[in-house]
Amino acid sequence: MNYTMCWLEYRKLPENTISNLKDWFSSVSILESDASALKNEIREFSEKSLDITPRFHSRPLKKKKYIMIGSLDSLPFGIEEDPGEEGFILRTQNWNGSKILVVTGKTKRSLVYAVFDLIRRIRLGEDIEKMNVLEKPKAKFRMLNHWDNLDGSVERGYAGNSIFFKDNRIIVNQRTRDYARLLASIGINGVVINNVNVKKQEVLLIEPVYLKKLKRLADLFREYGIRLYLSINFASPMYLGGLDTADPLDERVARWWREKAREIYDYIPDFGGFLVKADSEFNPGPHMFGRDHAEGANMLARALAPFGGVVIWRAFVYNCLQDWRDYKTDRARAAYDNFKPLDGKFDDNVIVQIKYGPMDFQVREPVNPLFGGLEKTNQILELQITQEYTGQQIHLCFLGTLWKEILEFDTFAKGKGSYVKRIVDGTLFGRENNGFAGVSNVGDSVNWTGHDLAQANLYAFGKLAWNPDEDIEKIVEDWIRLTFGDDRKVLENVSYMLLKSHRTYEKYTTPFGLGWMVNPGHHYGPNPEGYEYSKWGTYHRANWEAIGVDRTSRGTGYTLQYHSPWREIFDDINTCPEDLLLFFHRVRYDHRLKSGKTLIQAMYDLHFEGVEEVEKFIRKWEELKDRVPYDVFERVRERLHTQLEHAKEWRDVINTYFYRRTGIPDEKGRKIYP
Ligand code: GCV
């Protein structure tokens, strides 16, 4: 094995805790047939952490202490609580003269979650004798989206090549299993394995040549409670079926998809469904045939419905051929303008997948107004775990803090308390088919994520998808302890670094909601006008006196897509949150912020501060030499130094840009290039 197991790296536990645990783990009764994933995990943990090999039994035992694992139906006694379809119970109790730790839930998947959670709790030092846990996931869909291509490349991937594909073939091996373990341990229950941009070769994934191998992948995933999904090309009936149209209202098209669905389910009976990027960035969709998104999505959904599948339809639809001289079109408005009129028109097994912000995963954007705008539509919140615009896994940028802010945003859709997290978990509008999708940051590198500390982003995504109410500091603490063990200094320094890192990245790149000052195409590194005269609709329109787009009611009207009081708050330059000021307003450089600083001075200050913070991260990391594994230490150290160099580049390019535009010097006289 030439890769780490991240937070599942089971190290030997201290002797004093082992002795008691050995009693518990020496005999495990599993009242389930077909429990190899459970057994493997318990064996793996017991051998590595406790130095014992457990014996498995298929019946209750006569023993002082033991662990009993089984679905609620299989237990020899009743349990009152209802853990739901995916939740579980871990409880230590007396029964039949023994002390048993009961590990139970309704479904196979819930038992997988239960076993991983038990091991996690034990590794974090929870007392097995006092175990009394009832856990249920808040949201039904907890998915990863891979942007992997069949040739093995990964769009926006920064951690090596695909773990699923190579040279147009599908890979199923030990690493696939280990990946399934990692995902199951954080409660992920669905994976879309291929890129939403479905190109020539990938169109074939729904053909028998690939379905045979996909079946093997789905079989493996199933052991870990994960369903397989595929991204499809909306025009497949034309590419594969020889039809002259993909018009969703054409009966031949609908029939083709029905037959295709049947074929797929013959191979994979629990196939999750399709993810569709339609009418977006040159991907075909219903608009090409004069139909709307509901008509397109519902046609596919009806093909999948008899088999229990869903259609996940992305809301990332905008005009990507804008003229920069066009001041009327505002890309930020596009998702809402396209989808709000369709609210209530989608079938029950359609879910609209919405990026967190209205643009495209910038370091900071306001929450997409479709959250709170759509009331009668199933919704998935799309987050980008892969760090396309946030340092590409070269920079340390922990995203959990940003995601938490998004989830805690109150949309006021149904008055106070209408948080995004309550929309995504389905409770606010009483919808069942809601949830989370994260664009994966994983590849075939030794540490899965390129930057070792970027593993924390994957972990935090799963944890927040399971429970968006969980404290982000606690998630970070658990991740550090599971990954690096119980060294206080490691905990202190790494949590400092992680929790600060997103703000830091924002400071030395594009604060105030500015975004986009990146090099076109690959999106790495500063380029203040990289997208200024392009067709992508992402302009800041800086001139000598002001910067930013007026998205208020007096400008493009974007603020009106929010509920009150946000529309008024965002609309007014004096009440708009300053970290989004340039997203909503066109602002003069001499505008005074609440701190009393001018915008331009604050811009300079943040860029200098950001670099100083990276220097501090390096000092914090250096203190951990000999406290974390040597190879991890070296890899992270190297990346931090590259980050520092690139942060300085960001600082100098951005500050110079503004200085040259405005002629306003830095009050503190620091080096800016004239
Ligand atoms: C997969 C952005 C990215 C694209 C990505 C697209 C999307 O535009 O740069 O690489 O395509 O978003 O989310 O569909």
Side-chain angles (χ1 to χ4, degrees):
M1 187 166 88
N2 59 347
Y3 49 86
T4 68
M5 273 313 288
C6 308
W7 55 88
L8 293 185
E9 198 69 62
Y10 298 142
R11 274 178 296 269
K12 188 147 181 241
L13 291 172
E15 280 306 331
N16 53 345
T17 45
I18 287 187
S19 51
N20 177 35
L21 288 168
K22 275 183 178 167
D23 282 351
W24 284 100
F25 277 84
S26 59
S27 302
V28 178
S29 139
I30 302 192
L31 312 175
E32 293 291 308
S33 56
D34 185 19
S36 57
L38 308 181
K39 286 183 188 162
N40 282 346
E41 209 57 39
I42 290 172
R43 192 180 301 115
E44 184 88 8
F45 167 69
S46 307
E47 287 178 352
K48 293 205 171 128
S49 295
L50 308 178
D51 245 349
I52 56 165
T53 301
R55 278 215 304 268
F56 294 108
H57 308 265
S58 53
R59 263 181 239 116
L61 307 174
K62 280 257 165 274
K63 199 178 166 258
K64 243 171 88 189
K65 289 177 175 180
Y66 66 97
I67 298 174
M68 182 191 284
I69 303 176
S71 59
L72 283 168
D73 292 344
S74 70
L75 297 180
F77 45 83
I79 286 210
E80 267 174 30
E81 290 98 325
D82 178 8
E85 285 306 297
E86 297 187 288
F88 56 83
I89 291 165
L90 308 173
R91 180 180 302 153
T92 303
Q93 63 180 61
N94 294 318
W95 177 75
N96 208 18
S98 306
K99 198 174 219 187
I100 53 171
L101 170 63
V102 190
V103 177
T104 189
K106 267 192 192 155
T107 56
K108 281 227 152 67
R109 178 184 289 154
S110 66
L111 293 182
V112 171
Y113 295 153
V115 165
F116 277 110
D117 197 55
L118 172 65
I119 295 173
R120 182 183 69 86
R121 286 171 189 276
I122 290 172
R123 294 181 68 216
L124 291 173
E126 284 188 32
D127 185 352
I128 200 165
E129 311 270 342
K130 299 197 184 111
M131 202 68 75
N132 189 7
V133 173
L134 169 61
E135 268 282 341
K136 294 182 198 181
K138 293 249 160 70
K140 181 165 161 189
F141 289 84
R142 304 178 302 280
M143 324 242 319
L144 281 190
N145 290 182
H146 279 258
W147 288 352
D148 295 19
N149 303 314
L150 264 160
D151 64 5
S153 61
V154 179
E155 184 158 346
R156 312 305 177 189
Y158 312 104
N161 291 321
S162 172
I163 57 167
F164 292 126
F165 307 120
K166 189 178 181 193
D167 301 335
N168 292 336
R169 290 198 319 272
I170 296 167
I171 306 169
V172 183
N173 59 19
Q174 181 58 37
R175 188 155 190 171
T176 328
R177 179 174 295 280
D178 284 334
Y179 189 48
R181 291 173 56 213
L182 284 170
L183 298 192
S185 76
I186 51 173
I188 298 296
N189 63 6
V191 178
V192 187
I193 58 166
N194 66 308
N195 191 352
V196 286
N197 293 321
V198 183
K199 289 170 275 174
K200 226 168 156 194
Q201 189 68 27
E202 288 77 13
V203 174
L204 295 170
L205 273 170
I206 50 176
E207 291 284 89
V209 290
Y210 283 118
L211 286 170
K212 281 187 201 135
K213 193 73 183 269
L214 285 175
K215 173 183 163 41
R216 280 187 50 203
L217 181 57
D219 289 345
L220 190 158
F221 274 177
R222 192 175 305 112
E223 288 183 46
Y224 291 90
I226 297 167
R227 279 176 136 193
L228 177 76
Y229 296 71
L230 293 173
S231 298
I232 54 111
N233 186 306
F234 193 76
S236 297
M238 299 169 77
Y239 291 119
L240 304 175
L243 298 184
D244 56 4
T245 178
D247 179 353
L249 299 195
D250 187 315
E251 177 48 29
R252 291 169 304 154
V253 171
R255 190 181 329 117
W256 188 86
W257 280 112
R258 284 197 297 273
E259 281 161 15
K260 183 50 74 185
R262 172 163 302 121
E263 189 177 24
I264 296 172
Y265 280 90
D266 277 347
Y267 287 91
I268 307 168
D270 62 346
F271 178 66
F274 298 145
L275 173 62
V276 196
K277 174 174 179 177
D279 293 315
S280 165
E281 297 184 338
F282 314 110
N283 289 269
H287 284 178
M288 285 172 59
F289 309 96
R291 311 298 180 193
D292 67 28
H293 286 278
E295 288 166 325
N298 291 345
M299 179 274 296
L300 290 174
R302 285 165 201 168
L304 297 174
F307 310 98
V310 297
V311 169
I312 304 171
W313 193 270
R314 294 177 89 225
F316 184 58
V317 178
Y318 68 99
N319 174 8
C320 63
L321 292 172
Q322 191 177 333
D323 187 326
W324 62 271
R325 286 159 289 210
D326 163 9
Y327 279 55
K328 283 207 195 74
T329 307
D330 178 7
R331 173 166 163 182
R333 295 184 54 120
Y336 188 97
D337 284 345
N338 275 296
F339 284 85
K340 173 70 180 169
L342 301 175
D343 195 18
K345 296 204 173 135
F346 291 98
D347 283 7
D348 268 356
N349 63 330
V350 175
I351 314 170
V352 173
Q353 179 163 308
I354 307 165
K355 289 191 181 185
Y356 95 77
M359 299 297 273
D360 192 12
F361 300 131
Q362 299 305 291
V363 64
R364 187 175 301 279
E365 295 181 30
V367 164
N368 197 319
L370 273 179
F371 293 109
L374 297 179
E375 299 181 6
K376 293 171 277 186
T377 303
N378 302 321
Q379 292 159 62
I380 280 180
L381 165 67
E382 183 176 321
L383 300 170
Q384 198 180 39
I385 313 173
T386 193
Q387 293 171 233
E388 177 179 0
Y389 294 100
T390 49
Q392 306 199 348
Q393 279 129 265
I394 293 169
H395 297 235
L396 173 66
C397 187
F398 176 65
L399 295 164
T401 41
L402 169 71
W403 298 336
K404 191 67 181 169
E405 285 179 42
I406 294 162
L407 292 164
E408 298 294 342
F409 179 75
D410 192 345
T411 65
F412 282 90
K414 288 176 81 181
K416 209 167 157 31
S418 304
Y419 302 110
V420 170
K421 63 184 179 184
R422 294 288 86 89
I423 295 171
V424 176
D425 71 16
T427 52
L428 189 72
F429 296 118
R431 307 207 67 87
E432 209 188 309
N433 286 340
N434 280 19
F436 289 78
V439 181
S440 160
N441 61 349
V442 160
D444 67 359
S445 61
V446 283
N447 53 16
W448 302 83
T449 53
H451 197 311
D452 288 81
L453 301 184
Q455 291 168 6
N457 281 329
L458 182 59
Y459 182 85
F461 172 79
K463 284 292 170 186
L464 287 175
W466 180 275
N467 180 11
D469 289 316
E470 195 169 348
D471 203 38
I472 197 66
E473 281 85 7
K474 170 79 170 103
I475 292 176
V476 163
E477 177 180 333
D478 288 356
W479 176 78
I480 295 169
R481 292 180 58 207
L482 294 168
T483 306
F484 295 117
D486 271 333
D487 186 321
R488 293 292 318 166
K489 189 78 188 158
V490 174
L491 177 58
E492 203 181 290
N493 289 17
V494 178
S495 49
Y496 175 89
M497 292 166 69
L498 290 178
L499 292 170
K500 269 203 157 237
S501 56
H502 174 260
R503 271 276 174 209
T504 298
Y505 184 81
E506 182 182 22
K507 285 182 185 177
Y508 65 74
T509 58
T510 52
F512 301 110
L514 198 46
W516 293 111
M517 289 188 160
V518 288
N519 284 302
H522 58 71
H523 297 167
Y524 189 80
N527 187 342
E529 303 213 321
Y531 275 99
E532 205 45 31
Y533 304 100
S534 75
K535 54 192 178 351
W536 298 97
T538 51
Y539 318 113
H540 54 67
R541 303 207 165 104
N543 66 11
W544 61 276
E545 81 175 338
I547 182 170
V549 175
D550 182 358
R551 295 197 161 100
T552 68
S553 54
R554 301 164 299 280
T556 68
Y558 168 72
T559 49
L560 302 175
Q561 295 182 342
Y562 290 90
H563 293 278
S564 285
W566 283 117
R567 53 165 69 178
E568 293 82 17
I569 293 174
F570 289 145
D571 219 49
D572 182 345
I573 195 170
N574 296 309
T575 53
C576 179
E578 284 186 343
D579 55 12
L580 288 168
L581 197 62
L582 299 181
F583 193 95
F584 285 103
H585 294 271
R586 181 154 185 84
V587 184
R588 288 178 58 96
Y589 298 109
D590 59 5
H591 171 79
R592 291 271 163 203
L593 300 173
K594 292 191 190 84
S595 62
K597 286 183 193 178
T598 59
L599 173 67
I600 187 79
Q601 189 56 41
M603 190 69 95
Y604 293 147
D605 286 353
L606 288 175
H607 281 84
F608 284 107
E609 249 172 69
V611 170
E612 283 157 22
E613 286 173 16
V614 178
E615 283 164 346
K616 187 152 180 199
F617 292 162
I618 294 181
R619 289 199 296 278
K620 293 266 175 201
W621 186 253
E622 293 290 348
E623 286 173 8
L624 304 183
K625 192 166 192 307
D626 303 326
R627 291 174 183 262
V628 296
Y630 178 75
D631 51 338
V632 177
F633 179 78
E634 285 299 324
R635 279 198 298 264
V636 172
R637 171 155 70 177
E638 198 189 315
R639 290 204 181 217
L640 285 171
H641 282 281
T642 311
Q643 178 175 5
L644 179 60
E645 197 185 309
H646 294 181
K648 285 180 181 165
E649 175 78 359
W650 267 101
R651 175 195 66 192
D652 293 340
V653 170
I654 302 294
N655 283 349
T656 298
Y657 176 74
F658 284 116
Y659 179 56
R660 290 184 185 170
R661 280 253 134 173
T662 63
I664 304 173
D666 171 34
E667 283 170 5
K668 296 176 188 152
R670 290 161 294 193
K671 180 77 186 166
I672 296 181
Y673 297 79

